[in-house]
Amino acid sequence: MIKHIVMWKLKDHAEGADRAANAAKMKALLDGCVGLVPGLLKLEAVIAQPGLEATYDLMLYSEFTDKAALDEYQNHPDHVAMKPFFVAVRDARQCMDYEI
C-alpha cells in the first residue's frame, strides 16, 4: 500500500478569490477524485481549522493499493485538469509518499 500526503499553503489572494474561497474550491475538487481510479482506497481532503495552529491551509491524505494505482491517479485527466488552478493559488506545497 502507498500513502500519499500533500499539504498546500495558499496565497492570500489568487485567481480572483481569497485564501478561504480557494481552499474550499480545492477541497471540492479533491473530494471529486474519490473513486477516480480502481486502486484508490481512501481520499480525505481537509482545510485547516480556524483557531488551531496550522502551518498549511489544506491537506490531502490518500491511500492506494500500489505505485501503479498512484501513478494512474496522478495521470488521470480529471486530476491533471485541476493542477493549473492548484499551482496558481499555492504559495508552497509539500508532498510525501511512502509504502507500508
Side-chain angles (χ1 to χ4, degrees), residues 8-70:
W8 295 268
K9 179 179 276 300
L10 305 183
K11 297 175 183 174
D12 288 335
H13 290 86
E15 299 295 294
D18 66 11
R19 179 185 306 222
N22 285 332
K25 181 175 179 179
M26 290 174 73
K27 181 181 177 352
L29 288 167
L30 290 166
D31 287 344
C33 291
V34 171
L36 196 62
V37 297
L40 175 56
L41 304 173
K42 182 176 184 173
L43 185 144
E44 182 179 30
V46 294
I47 297 171
Q49 297 298 303
L52 298 177
E53 184 178 344
T55 56
Y56 279 75
D57 300 300
L58 183 77
M59 185 191 76
L60 169 70
Y61 172 84
S62 51
E63 297 176 354
F64 296 85
T65 53
D66 53 26
K67 174 111 172 48
L70 174 58

Side-chain angles (χ1 to χ4, degrees), residues 32-33 35-38 68-83:
C33 291
L36 196 62
V37 297
L70 174 58
D71 290 344
E72 184 178 359
Y73 167 77
Q74 293 284 17
N75 295 306
H76 191 282
D78 291 351
H79 182 260
V80 172
M82 68 175 115
K83 287 183 180 182

